[in-house]
Amino acid sequence: MSRAELVEINFDGVIGPSHNYAGLSPGNLAATKNRGETAHPRAAALQGIAKMRANLTLGLTQGVLLPHARPDRQWLAALGTGYDHAPPHTQAQALSASSMWAANAATVSPAPDTLDGRCHLSVANLATMPHRSHEWPETLAQLRLAFADAAFAVHAPVPPPFGDEGAANHMRLAATHDAPGIEIFVYGIAGGPFPARQHPDASAAVARRHGLDPARTLFVQQSEQAIAAGAFHNDVVAVANGNVLFAHEQAFEDKAHFYDLLRRAMPEVEIVEVPAARVSLADAIASYLFNAQLVTLPSGEMALILPSEARATPSVWNWLQEHVAGNGPIRQLEVVDVRESMANGGGPACLRLRVVADPATIDPRFLVDYARLDRIAQVVEAHWPEEIPAGAIADPALIARIEGARRALFEALDLPELSN
Ligand code: SUG
């Protein structure tokens, strides 16, 4: 396979029919604040689909990962219960639609970076949060199906207790997507009152398993201040694409050392730092400025795909307008509405997993064009619950509807039942 065929593909998690606001993630300020609000799964999924359509219109290659079987009956059985008899917090943990945040599905090292020339994917164990700790078996099943070709190596998760949150704590810089890159693993040690979710030993294990070149691999500590301010994942305070690192001034614990190592490993790197004096950490996190998709368009220019909350935050929008008006590397701003996901602390970048690969090597059922997105939207319109109020998750009729909705989607996409 010639490297010219490698492109970046964004795999978005289709937002599942059980999307609700149970406030399950301490340290995730949006999710905690919106606990008990009424969620709108149908609108949420349609927002995600509209974002994917907009990406296609920008000329990007788009894929999907599918909602997991929820409630997770296998997980409940392992806990010695069925859904109906489980305590309310266990019901909420079994029902969460959190697999929508595909950035947490896996860490991906594209073929040009690895020793054996294959694209390596390590499924994340998400061990820190109970409601996310049982995502990995179905994620693994989906990835094994989508990336069954010999061009890929799909790894089971790093064993707990070494928490791994996948691509949300990983960045890649490369002159072009198909060139060897610098891979940056961002781990957490402390987060004030909140858990640091990415264990440094998990990052090191993933890098070893992927066969990365130590000279082109950096391990960097996320700042305690950022985690304490609600940046529970690095991708809430930094994002990389091509030769550009776009980060908040307070994203990293020892910024000077990290930038120094990075400039030595990649002299052409362009670091675009947003000073705290212009955009506070609080504004960056509330608006999800950095949880944007920084993408290279077919024209070669870079665009930033931002949540509408970024446009509504004056400090953020002013900084962005100045950057685009000046000579900065980000040339275009694209605003998307993913409000339902945002209210659970997941922005545009959380919803997607980036894989650099030849699309011809991927199971076509996981790739989408407009027609396939229309088909997904039809199933969502017909089957996804319009709303899930806080108290509704014990209702057996709602649960039956959620399970039927996912089944209808799998049938429409010609996918086999993967679990439960
Ligand atoms: O793990 N929210 C997710 C949001 C994940 C965002 N992902 C990235 N930044 N890449 C989380 O905190 C809330 C679900 C609830 O409370 O029901 C939640 O899991």
Side-chain angles (χ1 to χ4, degrees):
M1 185 175 68
S2 96
R3 282 190 173 162
E5 293 162 338
L6 301 184
V7 297
E8 178 177 280
I9 309 166
N10 286 280
F11 289 83
D12 275 47
V14 173
I15 299 174
S18 70
H19 159 64
N20 73 99
Y21 298 120
L24 299 174
S25 276
N28 176 336
L29 302 186
T32 310
K33 183 174 127 218
N34 291 307
R35 175 188 196 130
E37 292 291 328
T38 295
H40 301 88
R42 193 182 304 165
L46 294 174
Q47 287 166 4
I49 292 165
K51 164 163 110 72
M52 288 192 258
R53 282 204 186 102
N55 284 0
L56 287 178
T57 304
L58 288 174
L60 305 174
T61 309
Q62 185 68 50
V64 284
L65 293 173
L66 284 313
H68 290 191
R70 294 289 177 265
D72 187 339
R73 295 189 182 277
Q74 281 177 0
W75 186 67
L76 289 165
L79 291 171
T81 183
Y83 189 76
D84 295 350
H85 302 288
H89 72 277
T90 308
Q91 286 184 331
Q93 290 165 355
L95 193 66
S96 175
S98 53
S99 70
M100 73 174 80
W101 299 297
N104 303 116
T107 306
V108 184
S109 296
D113 300 355
T114 68
L115 202 58
D116 65 4
R118 289 190 292 169
C119 173
H120 286 249
L121 298 95
S122 271
V123 173
N125 63 28
L126 296 169
T128 310
M129 296 286 151
H131 69 290
R132 306 212 62 180
S133 67
H134 57 100
E135 284 176 36
W136 72 261
E138 190 173 337
T139 302
L140 184 59
Q142 290 196 26
L143 296 186
R144 290 224 159 118
L145 206 56
F147 304 105
D149 192 274
F152 302 97
V154 178
H155 303 265
V158 169
F162 310 114
D164 180 17
E165 300 276 323
N169 283 67
H170 175 259
M171 301 186 286
R172 178 175 189 258
L173 290 151
T176 55
H177 293 314
D178 58 358
I182 305 295
E183 297 206 13
I184 304 164
F185 292 79
V186 187
Y187 59 86
I189 298 288
F194 301 132
R197 297 199 200 178
Q198 181 72 34
H199 196 289
D201 291 0
S203 298
V206 170
R208 280 192 296 265
R209 288 159 19 141
H210 289 190
L212 299 180
D213 177 355
R216 305 180 68 79
T217 307
L218 302 178
F219 298 94
V220 182
Q221 189 184 335
Q222 193 184 351
S223 81
E224 176 170 355
Q225 207 180 355
I227 300 175
F232 50 99
H233 291 130
N234 171 68
D235 70 2
V236 172
V237 280
V239 59
N241 177 59
N243 66 336
V244 174
L245 171 65
F246 178 46
H248 191 268
E249 182 186 354
Q250 291 158 312
F252 308 106
E253 191 62 36
D254 187 351
K255 178 183 85 168
H257 182 57
F258 166 41
Y259 288 176
D260 186 41
L261 292 177
L262 182 56
R263 288 195 176 104
R264 263 192 265 164
M266 189 183 191
E268 70 274 30
V269 69
E270 195 163 341
I271 300 174
V272 178
E273 192 183 80
V274 179
R278 291 294 310 275
V279 176
S280 65
L281 256 186
D283 275 4
I285 291 166
S287 69
Y288 268 35
L289 161 63
F290 298 96
N291 200 258
Q293 289 179 247
L294 182 59
V295 295
T296 304
L297 301 173
S299 65
E301 289 197 333
M302 280 197 205
L304 196 61
I305 302 167
L306 294 146
S308 44
E309 287 77 354
R311 187 172 49 194
T313 307
S315 61
V316 166
W317 198 244
N318 290 340
W319 188 92
L320 285 167
Q321 295 296 318
E322 273 179 38
H323 180 88
V324 172
N327 238 348
I330 301 166
R331 304 307 318 146
Q332 197 174 319
L333 305 176
E334 296 290 327
V335 175
V336 293
D337 172 8
V338 287
R339 250 175 292 179
E340 284 283 322
S341 167
M342 283 285 288
N344 245 342
C350 297
L351 286 164
R352 64 93 173 93
L353 181 68
R354 284 184 283 191
V355 179
V356 172
D358 177 352
T361 60
I362 292 164
D363 185 317
R365 291 173 296 183
F366 290 87
L367 295 174
V368 289
D369 54 13
Y370 291 115
R372 219 162 149 76
L373 286 177
D374 286 348
R375 200 170 330 151
I376 297 174
Q378 278 160 13
V379 177
V380 166
E381 297 269 14
H383 296 277
W384 260 230
E386 190 176 350
E387 58 173 43
I388 301 188
I393 69 162
D395 175 7
L398 173 70
I399 299 307
R401 176 142 197 218
I402 287 168
E403 293 186 305
R406 174 176 172 280
R407 254 195 316 274
L409 181 64
F410 272 58
E411 277 164 27
L413 297 181
D414 199 22
L415 284 160
E417 188 49 71
L418 287 172
S419 79
N420 291 4

